[in-house]
Amino acid sequence: MKKIGIVLCGHLRSHRHNFKYLYENLLSKHDCDLYISTWNVMDHNNPSTLSEEKIEEELAIYSDWTKKILIHDAKIFEKSKNRIDRANVGFWENTPDKKHYIIKEASRQEELSYDTDNYWINRISDQWYAVEKGFEAIEEPSSYDLLMRHRLDICLLNLQLHFDKDLVTASPEPYSHLYRMRDHIIYGKPEHMIKFTKFYENSRNAIIKYNNFLAETVLEYCLDTIGPDSKLFVDPNLKEYSNYRILK
């Protein structure tokens, strides 16, 4: 049985519903350790602080697999972080001598009110804070066959793992006209997944430099620029709506 270290991260929101599917498609099939990295609120729409007792109750269903639990205070994080100001960021240009990333079209780069406002610019990088802390908590990453980033709000319907790939991301389908990959599920060999111990600050830097990056482009750019060099496999059989769903 393969050994997998899973950083189960993000807001708790739909995690109870999703547990059955996580168990059937992942936890029951492999030797899994969970590193839970979440917030002390259910989600952005329900920001009331959860008590320690309530969080313990919520996370008890994972106890058979849990190695570490990290609870981040959402209010402290919001107050202490250095906010990115959209007015001070730059743009990526797909010139012939650069890699061709999928970016927001040029006609939208000059608008002051298009969808990546200050709130969303910060949200794009904020999501990687809990991810980074989760991967930092893994003391012996090399002891695993695979490491995985898996959101708590994912309802996992079917998953066929690739143990021979450096890094694996989800297919962009049915949004291939917008993305080259999705950022919902990411896994791979430990020596490549270790990139995520540096992901929060690197994602912030990417957004500051290139405001016309999509969230998925930030992922691709950081995977390209954080060492070591990795071969990225976009799994055509790992698709939102058919293999998994996001339940917010």
Side-chain angles (χ1 to χ4, degrees), residues 32-36 59 62-69:
C32 297
D33 288 337
L34 297 181
Y35 298 83
I36 300 173
L59 298 181
Y62 305 104
S63 60
D64 288 346
W65 302 272
T66 300
K67 293 286 284 187
K68 288 188 180 180
I69 295 175

Side-chain angles (χ1 to χ4, degrees), residues 3 5-7 33-35 67-70 132-144 147 190 194 197:
K3 190 171 183 180
I6 304 170
V7 174
D33 288 337
L34 297 181
Y35 298 83
K67 293 286 284 187
K68 288 188 180 180
I69 295 175
L70 298 91
E132 178 176 290
K133 295 303 178 185
F135 277 93
E136 287 179 348
I138 304 175
E139 293 181 0
E140 297 183 48
S142 62
S143 66
Y144 295 99
L147 293 179
I194 205 69
T197 60

Side-chain angles (χ1 to χ4, degrees), residues 82-123:
N82 293 320
R83 293 185 176 277
I84 302 170
D85 187 343
R86 183 181 181 279
N88 298 326
V89 300
F91 296 99
W92 175 276
E93 296 181 9
N94 273 325
T95 56
D97 61 329
K98 288 184 177 181
K99 178 170 179 176
H100 182 81
Y101 288 105
I102 294 178
I103 57 177
K104 297 182 181 72
E105 58 270 28
S107 63
R108 299 175 68 192
Q109 293 179 17
E110 301 303 324
E111 299 175 23
L112 294 178
S113 60
Y114 80 115
D115 58 1
T116 307
D117 55 17
N118 272 350
Y119 172 76
W120 281 105
I121 281 176
N122 285 275
R123 276 280 301 277

Side-chain angles (χ1 to χ4, degrees), residues 137-195:
I138 304 175
E139 293 181 0
E140 297 183 48
S142 62
S143 66
Y144 295 99
D145 295 294
L146 287 180
L147 293 179
M148 175 181 290
R149 179 259 181 139
H150 191 294
R151 287 168 46 156
L152 282 154
D153 61 3
I154 284 178
C155 181
L156 188 64
L157 304 175
N158 183 31
L159 179 64
Q160 299 298 320
L161 293 173
H162 297 272
F163 288 89
D164 60 337
K165 307 295 185 182
D166 290 352
L167 293 172
V168 180
T169 62
S171 166
E173 294 292 342
Y175 302 109
S176 57
H177 59 295
L178 296 175
Y179 312 119
R180 193 165 285 136
M181 65 192 67
R182 299 312 303 270
D183 61 358
H184 301 143
I185 301 175
I186 307 160
Y187 67 88
K189 297 176 182 178
E191 60 266 32
H192 296 279
M193 288 298 289
I194 205 69
K195 293 172 188 277

